Amino acid sequence: YQRRVTWDLCQSQFWNSTAVWENPDGPYISECFQLTVLSWLPCGLFWISVPFHIFYSYTYMKHKLVLKHPMILLKLVLSILLALSTAVELFTCINYYQADNNIPNSYFIAPSFWILTISMIFVWQIMLNSFGFK
């Protein structure tokens, strides 16, 4: 007996334990699982941890804003480049959708979550810098 779980968000199989654990070539994780759980889980953990870190930083750290440190500038530039790369991925999916109309919603939701999370990381880096972290 093999139980298959499908999810309308992906229009494909969400999880197949046979393909994951009994595949002789190694585990195969479905694209739906990759675009949902493996994409949303890190973003969710980050969004859950941010309020606690902000509370700690606001309570115990001094306020000083120094944006001239090379490390913070490198982090900010890399955050912008990563957000632009994810935006290009999202726009590519939109173009494919306009041409084909057969793209699952998870292809749009995952990059959108990543863009929001990267934007929050950008703001968070500036906030941490204002509390004295580099």
Side-chain angles (χ1 to χ4, degrees):
Y1 172 74
Q2 180 180 357
R3 185 175 149 194
R4 293 188 177 195
V5 179
T6 58
W7 198 4
D8 292 336
L9 182 67
C10 299
Q11 299 173 352
S12 67
Q13 188 174 6
F14 178 72
W15 182 259
N16 183 352
S17 60
T18 305
V20 173
W21 301 113
E22 298 174 10
N23 190 355
D25 296 330
Y28 170 75
I29 298 174
S30 69
E31 192 171 1
C32 180
F33 190 81
Q34 291 176 20
L35 288 172
T36 55
V37 174
L38 294 182
S39 187
W40 300 350
L41 187 64
C43 294
L45 290 174
F46 173 75
W47 282 92
I48 289 170
S49 69
V50 165
F52 297 107
H53 197 79
I54 290 173
F55 174 75
Y56 171 79
S57 299
Y58 184 74
T59 305
Y60 297 107
M61 305 304 286
K62 298 177 183 178
H63 295 278
K64 61 178 182 175
L65 185 60
V66 180
L67 288 176
K68 293 182 181 177
H69 193 273
M71 185 60 77
I72 189 65
L73 291 176
L74 178 66
K75 289 178 184 180
L76 294 175
V77 167
L78 288 176
S79 295
I80 291 170
L81 291 175
L82 190 58
L84 288 174
S85 168
T86 309
V88 166
E89 179 184 353
L90 180 62
F91 290 132
T92 303
C93 289
I94 291 171
N95 284 336
Y96 284 145
Y97 178 76
Q98 290 174 348
D100 187 16
N101 287 346
N102 195 15
I103 295 179
N105 293 334
S106 59
Y107 281 90
F108 301 105
I109 295 172
S112 301
F113 277 153
W114 278 107
I115 289 172
L116 288 173
T117 302
I118 294 167
S119 301
M120 179 59 192
I121 289 171
F122 182 82
V123 170
W124 191 41
Q125 289 170 350
I126 293 173
M127 286 178 48
L128 286 177
N129 187 38
S130 72
F131 290 119
F133 292 104
K134 290 186 172 79

